[in-house]
């Protein structure tokens, strides 16, 4: 009898060990099933990660320069423990591939008591570089740092990132291609990613009714563009644009009306193709274009790249559509940095002479106000570039939110780390995104992040313990200044920004009278 008890105890012990081993394996290899099949993720720290999930069919072969297609289903579990390939670009050519339409989900738990809000991050990089897994060539923000549980996941927020087509592979208008569904393939990829999240986020414990899009620089511009894209309507509940450039001149196809100063999208695309083949692109067929290698197209992309006003995916420039009250009716937050022009350099292909010429007929007044003596890459010219390209669009688009009866929250990042206060002219371009995704223990950045978390959760950035952040109202423009501490100021840089707004409104006045 005692012998049987011992044997039973041994079997019970072994069974418990076996259960614990199985449980440990499940914890190390969490699995879920999305609408296309089962996937296996990984746990790092307190974050459950599912990486490199295909959200659309690979845009290769006949699918190059077509709108993204639904991914076919699979039966065997898909390994989702590593990020997918980068979309083709000059910065990560060794790790890039056209089969790149993947999405990453970072959640604090698959079994939360209630569905969690979702933050959908859109990477920047001038629509030429970047990835949803790494945010710089030096890997400054890798996934482990990006989802530090002390940041977004600790706040009970699911983070989603994705790749989208870039450069000429993502934005191209050529007569040989079928542009009937639009020519902004990269933007359509982001829309497809948002649709994937809406279909699947409940599987990861998410709440699709609380889905906020956020991005910086080109990602901030993408946010402003999604705010006016017909295809994106109803796919998100709030938007945050960091240093977006929604009032910038965009190329236009011949199918939309001309606008002074706007380049031809067809000519712009033709120039890229002709650099790729070192010959005329006249008479080329779609199959000829699809026969080009990705590297040929990537290396032929010179200077800045932009979305295209095609009348379908982008009916008009974002700033104009905001002014016409055609943006989606969701809470909106936008802002820039005090020295956003730190990014201005010759490689952009926009010379100081061209920049100053773009401010006509107010160029003389601009030179005086910015104390510009010569058209060089001097700090004063960089300041003008940043204010015109990034800060003005933040103010302008936020001011228009009352047209759709939604709050618009405007901010300026002015904080400079003490070690850099003798070296930096102001807070540099895109610096704001780095501390937001890495735990640097900077109180003002923690405040900034908390306001954003509040917006993600409730549609309002305000909460107990933080200074009240009023929304922009007609005739009143409050800015939340993120310096050493958060403070509200009215009419920041009013003289300069009013002058730059006059420059902008002079350009668009045929479509939007003053």
């Amino acid at each position: 009898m005692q012998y049987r008890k011992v044997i039973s105890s041994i079997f019970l012990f072994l069974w418990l060990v076996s259960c614990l081993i199985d449980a440990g394996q499940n914890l190390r290899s969490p699995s879920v099933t999305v609408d296309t099949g089962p996937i296996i993720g990984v746990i790092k720290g307190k974050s459950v990660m599912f990486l490199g999930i295909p959200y659309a069919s690979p845009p290769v072969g006949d699918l190059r320069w077509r709108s993204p297609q639904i991914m076919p289903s699979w039966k065997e579990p898909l390994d989702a423990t590593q990020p997918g390939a980068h979309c083709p670009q000059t910065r990560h050519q060794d790790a890039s591939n056209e089969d790149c339409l993947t999405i990453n989900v970072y959640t604090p738990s698959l079994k939360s008591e209630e569905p969690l809000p979702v933050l959908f991050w859109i990477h920047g990089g001038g629509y030429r570089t970047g990835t949803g897994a790494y945010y710089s060539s030096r890997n400054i923000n890798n996934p482990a740092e990006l989802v530090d549980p002390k940041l977004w996941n600790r706040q009970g927020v699911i983070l989603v990132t994705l790749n989208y087509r870039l450069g000429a592979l993502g934005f191209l208008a050529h007569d040989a291609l079928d542009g009937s569904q639009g020519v902004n393939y990269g933007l359509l990829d982001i829309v497809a990613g948002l649709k994937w999240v809406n279909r699947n986020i409940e599987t990861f414990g998410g709440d699709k009714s609380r889905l906020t899009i956020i991005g910086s620089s080109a990602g901030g511009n993408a946010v402003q563009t999604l705010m006016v894209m017909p295809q994106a309507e109803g796919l998100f509940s709030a938007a945050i644009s960091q240093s977006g450039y929604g009032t910038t001149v965009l190329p236009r196809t011949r199918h939309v009306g001309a606008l002074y100063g706007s380049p031809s999208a067809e000519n712009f695309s033709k120039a890229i193709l002709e650099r790729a083949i070192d010959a005329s692109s006249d008479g080329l067929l779609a199959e000829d274009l699809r026969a080009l290698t990705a590297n040929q197209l990537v290396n032929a992309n010179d200077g800045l790249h932009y979305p295209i006003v095609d009348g379908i995916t982008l009916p008009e420039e974002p700033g104009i559509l905001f002014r016409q009250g055609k943006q989606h009716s969701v809470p909106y937050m936008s802002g820039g940095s005090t020295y956003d022009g730190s990014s201005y350099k010759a490689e952009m292909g926009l010379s100081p002479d061209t920049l100053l010429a773009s401010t006509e007929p107010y160029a003389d007044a601009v030179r005086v106000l910015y104390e510009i003596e010569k058209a060089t890459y001097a700090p004063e010219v960089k300041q003008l570039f940043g204010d015109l390209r990034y800060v003005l669009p933040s103010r302008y688009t936020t001011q228009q939110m009352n047209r759709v009866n939604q709050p618009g929250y405007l901010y300026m990042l002015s904080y400079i780390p003490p070690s850099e206060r003798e070296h930096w002219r102001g807070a540099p371009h895109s610096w704001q995104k780095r501390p937001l995704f890495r735990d640097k223990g900077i109180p003002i950045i923690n405040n900034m992040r908390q306001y954003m978390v509040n917006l993600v959760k409730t549609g309002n950035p305000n909460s107990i313990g933080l200074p009240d952040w009023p929304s922009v109202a007609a005739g009143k423009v409050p800015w939340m200044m993120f310096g050493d501490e958060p403070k509200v100021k009215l009419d920041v840089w009013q003289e300069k920004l009013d002058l730059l707004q006059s420059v902008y409104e002079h350009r668009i006045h045929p479509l939007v009278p003053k």
Side-chain angles (χ1 to χ4, degrees):
M1 190 71 174
Q2 187 69 27
Y3 173 78
R4 290 182 181 179
K5 286 182 179 179
V6 170
I7 295 297
S8 298
S9 297
I10 291 173
F11 275 110
L12 178 61
F13 173 76
L14 292 175
W15 179 78
L16 288 171
V17 168
S18 175
C19 290
L20 288 172
I21 290 173
D22 289 342
Q25 289 176 339
N26 289 337
L27 286 174
R28 288 193 298 271
S29 302
S31 61
V32 298
T33 299
V34 295
D35 60 349
T36 43
I39 59 176
I40 298 175
V42 63
I43 293 179
K44 291 186 179 180
K46 295 183 179 179
S47 292
V48 186
M49 305 181 179
F50 295 88
L51 311 174
I53 311 165
Y55 67 86
S57 292
V60 299
D62 288 343
L63 294 186
R64 182 193 274 183
W65 293 309
R66 295 190 192 278
S67 60
Q69 304 297 306
I70 293 291
M71 182 73 184
S73 299
W74 57 82
K75 292 183 179 179
E76 295 299 320
L78 179 76
D79 183 346
T81 62
Q82 296 293 328
H86 309 315
C87 287
Q89 56 189 281
T90 54
R91 186 172 288 177
H92 298 288
Q93 280 185 298
D94 59 333
S96 68
N97 191 296
E98 279 190 84
D99 181 1
C100 63
L101 300 187
T102 58
I103 203 162
N104 311 298
V105 180
Y106 310 85
T107 179
S109 174
L110 290 174
K111 296 179 179 179
S112 57
E113 292 183 2
E114 61 181 29
L116 301 176
V118 183
L119 187 66
F120 184 96
W121 171 261
I122 304 168
H123 72 75
Y127 292 107
R128 292 183 57 200
T129 63
T131 129
Y134 303 97
Y135 297 107
S136 84
S137 59
R138 292 179 296 165
N139 200 15
I140 289 174
N141 289 315
N142 64 40
E145 293 171 322
L146 181 64
V147 293
D148 187 325
K150 290 178 289 187
L151 302 179
W152 303 101
N153 281 178
R154 186 184 69 179
Q155 299 278 6
V157 173
I158 294 176
L159 182 67
V160 177
T161 71
L162 84 166
N163 294 341
Y164 56 92
R165 281 175 281 183
L166 303 166
L169 287 164
F171 307 85
L172 195 77
H174 192 276
D175 290 339
L177 301 175
D178 175 15
S180 60
Q181 292 183 301
V183 298
N184 290 303
Y185 309 103
L187 293 175
L188 287 170
D189 291 343
I190 300 173
V191 168
L194 283 168
K195 289 180 177 179
W196 184 94
V197 172
N198 274 267
R199 294 195 308 270
N200 292 288
I201 203 61
E202 291 179 0
T203 301
F204 301 91
D207 181 356
K208 66 181 181 180
S209 69
R210 291 187 292 166
L211 195 167
T212 298
I213 57 173
I214 180 175
S216 179
S217 195
N221 178 261
V223 168
Q224 292 168 337
T225 303
L226 290 164
M227 281 286 290
V228 297
M229 275 187 71
Q231 294 82 356
E233 185 174 7
L235 295 180
F236 54 90
S237 61
I240 303 172
S241 173
Q242 299 179 311
S243 297
Y245 39 95
T247 59
T248 293
V249 178
L250 298 183
R252 305 168 73 87
T253 65
R254 67 171 63 95
H255 306 296
V256 297
L259 185 62
Y260 175 76
S262 300
S264 160
E266 288 85 2
N267 289 345
F268 181 80
S269 301
K270 181 180 178 182
I272 293 174
L273 292 171
E274 293 184 348
R275 284 194 296 271
I277 63 177
D278 195 24
S280 171
S281 65
D282 293 338
L284 290 181
L285 302 176
E287 52 263 37
D288 300 321
L289 301 185
R290 293 192 171 97
L292 296 174
T293 68
N295 282 346
Q296 279 180 288
L297 293 162
V298 165
N299 294 329
N301 211 138
D302 187 25
L304 298 169
H305 207 93
Y306 294 103
I308 296 167
V309 177
D310 60 5
I312 303 168
T313 55
L314 194 50
E316 190 46 80
E317 291 180 8
I320 293 173
L321 293 173
F322 268 84
R323 176 63 177 79
Q324 294 174 342
K326 295 180 180 179
Q327 64 272 45
H328 302 313
S329 183
V330 299
Y332 176 73
M333 180 187 292
S334 186
S337 299
T338 48
Y339 193 37
D340 255 326
S342 63
S343 63
Y344 183 47
K345 50 191 175 182
E347 297 88 273
M348 285 185 166
L350 177 69
S351 71
D353 282 320
T354 303
L355 172 64
L356 287 165
S358 72
T359 65
E360 292 291 358
Y362 301 96
D364 289 342
V366 167
R367 283 177 179 269
V368 170
L369 199 55
Y370 279 85
E371 300 179 347
I372 296 172
E373 296 181 359
K374 295 181 180 179
T376 65
Y377 291 93
E380 295 79 11
V381 179
K382 287 175 174 272
Q383 187 72 53
L384 168 63
F385 174 82
D387 295 354
L388 182 62
R389 182 176 172 86
Y390 304 110
V391 180
L392 174 67
S394 295
R395 188 183 81 160
Y396 190 82
T397 54
T398 307
Q399 283 180 296
Q400 313 308 319
M401 290 307 297
N402 61 357
R403 299 181 184 278
V404 290
N405 297 313
Q406 285 289 348
Y409 301 95
L410 183 62
Y411 74 84
M412 177 82 78
L413 179 64
S414 59
Y415 175 80
I416 300 174
S419 61
E420 304 293 347
R421 291 183 182 179
E422 293 184 4
H423 309 290
W424 291 3
R425 179 184 177 97
H429 177 65
S430 277
W431 183 79
Q432 54 187 300
K433 74 181 180 184
R434 295 182 182 179
L436 279 177
F437 287 101
R438 303 175 74 190
D439 188 6
K440 290 295 187 180
I442 303 172
I444 189 62
I445 298 299
N446 293 339
N447 291 151
M448 188 176 182
R449 187 186 302 113
Q450 188 59 55
Y451 279 116
M452 293 183 177
V453 167
N454 294 341
L455 184 75
V456 173
K457 289 184 174 182
T458 69
N460 187 326
N462 294 293
S463 65
I464 296 173
L466 290 173
D468 186 64
W469 185 348
S471 62
V472 174
K476 203 171 185 179
V477 186
W479 297 69
M480 179 58 79
M481 300 297 294
F482 290 108
D484 286 330
E485 58 184 34
K487 288 184 178 179
V488 174
K489 291 187 178 180
L490 293 176
D491 301 323
V492 173
W493 297 357
Q494 184 169 1
E495 186 178 8
K496 285 183 176 179
L497 293 177
D498 283 352
L499 177 59
L500 297 182
Q501 185 162 323
S502 295
V503 171
Y504 174 63
E505 290 180 340
H506 175 78
R507 181 176 70 83
I508 67 168
H509 80 272
L511 297 178
V512 181
K514 289 186 180 181

